[in-house]
């Protein structure tokens, strides 16, 4: 009887460890470094220089969640924060780029070469989605559900400072399979734009977030994420599959 009880206990422990391992694989964790500027609103050029000066590490956006989307551009991002802002920088290498939308007004960036940041910055159920095409034009919205979202206007979106090394003019579709395009998109996001929530100071906090690269209407549609997504079909509006972002 003693041996049997020990075997049962060992099996239970093994199952617990295995389950814990699966949970660790399901949710990634990113530790984000604090940075400082000599101005509360640094220019986007200052933010770009900061990433290199501080040697902020990159993280891959390389999870293929769904079959049938074999196109896999090389994508990585890095992140930092200050007292009042979040900073993001994406670097992409891909043979096909698309930028049909040349302004924020009326933009549907997910149809172009698109980079996205989804996050839950407060202790509530509201998540925000920032979607930018490869020339940094896009949309910003918030809400608790995909079907009920507030799409912010130019008065809010204009506060999100952005720059792309591909410029800011729409160019349609360009292809170069011999020498893939390489571009960088740098973004500064003031905390005040998360206006549907009460966002506490970031220092020492952990939030949920995910980072994406997609292109619904590109010659080769694709849907890549930083943290794995467990849905049957492509869907980025999945807070339950956001990873963890820890602000040091």
């Amino acid at each position: 009887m003693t041996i049997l009880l020990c075997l049962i206990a060992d099996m239970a422990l093994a199952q617990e460890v295995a389950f814990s391992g699966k949970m660790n694989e399901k949710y990634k964790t990113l530790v984000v470094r604090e940075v400082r500027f000599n101005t509360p609103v640094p220019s986007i050029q200052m933010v770009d220089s900061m990433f290199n000066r501080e040697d902020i590490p990159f993280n891959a956006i390389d999870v293929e969640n769904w079959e049938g989307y074999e196109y896999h551009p090389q994508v990585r991002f890095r992140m930092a924060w200050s007292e009042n802002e979040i900073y993001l920088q994406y670097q992409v290498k891909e043979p096909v780029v698309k930028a049909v939308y040349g302004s924020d007004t009326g933009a549907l960036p997910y149809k172009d070469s698109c980079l996205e940041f989804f996050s839950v910055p407060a202790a509530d159920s509201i998540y925000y989605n920032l979607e930018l095409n490869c020339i940094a034009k896009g949309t910003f919205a918030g809400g608790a559900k995909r079907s009920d979202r507030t799409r912010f206007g130019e008065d809010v979106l204009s506060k999100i400072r952005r720059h792309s090394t591909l410029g800011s003019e729409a160019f349609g579709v360009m292809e170069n399979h011999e020498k893939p395009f390489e571009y960088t998109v740098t973004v500064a996001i003031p905390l005040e734009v998360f206006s549907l929530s009460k966002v506490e100071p970031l220092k020492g906090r952990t939030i949920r977030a995910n980072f994406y690269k997609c292109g619904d209407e590109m010659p080769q549609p694709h849907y890549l994420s930083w943290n794995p997504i467990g849905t049957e079909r492509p869907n980025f509006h999945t807070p339950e599959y956001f990873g963890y972002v820890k602000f040091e």
Side-chain angles (χ1 to χ4, degrees), residues 95-218:
V96 183
V97 290
K98 180 182 177 183
V100 170
Y101 296 96
S103 68
D104 295 334
T105 303
L108 298 173
Y110 64 89
K111 295 183 177 183
D112 286 346
S113 302
C114 187
L115 300 161
E116 302 184 355
F117 170 53
F118 282 44
S119 64
V120 184
D124 55 29
S125 60
I126 296 176
Y127 71 93
Y128 297 79
N129 53 302
L130 174 64
E131 306 178 12
L132 301 174
N133 67 7
C134 58
I135 57 172
K137 307 299 182 182
T139 61
F140 181 61
K145 299 179 181 180
R146 182 174 186 173
S147 59
D148 183 18
R149 308 195 63 67
T150 297
R151 177 165 171 164
F152 297 100
E154 181 63 23
D155 57 328
V156 173
L157 198 52
S158 62
K159 297 178 181 179
I160 301 176
R161 307 185 304 286
R162 299 153 269 162
H163 175 263
S164 170
T165 56
L166 289 179
S168 59
E169 299 295 325
F171 51 74
V173 179
M174 296 193 300
E175 297 189 30
N176 191 334
H177 293 272
E178 294 184 1
K179 186 179 180 181
F181 299 95
E182 297 185 43
Y183 61 92
T184 300
V185 174
T186 304
V187 189
I189 310 171
L191 296 183
E192 66 177 286
V193 301
F194 300 108
S195 57
L196 303 179
S197 308
K198 182 180 179 181
V199 180
E200 301 293 337
L202 296 176
K203 194 174 188 66
R205 292 184 56 222
T206 298
I207 70 170
R208 302 294 296 273
N210 212 347
F211 306 81
Y212 308 119
K213 170 69 172 75
C214 67
D216 285 38
E217 295 188 2
M218 290 187 65

Side-chain angles (χ1 to χ4, degrees), residues 19 52 121:
F19 179 75
N52 292 323

Side-chain angles (χ1 to χ4, degrees), residues 17-28:
V17 170
F19 179 75
S20 176
K22 291 179 181 178
M23 291 300 290
N24 288 338
E25 293 175 1
K26 183 176 179 181
Y27 300 109
K28 294 181 179 178

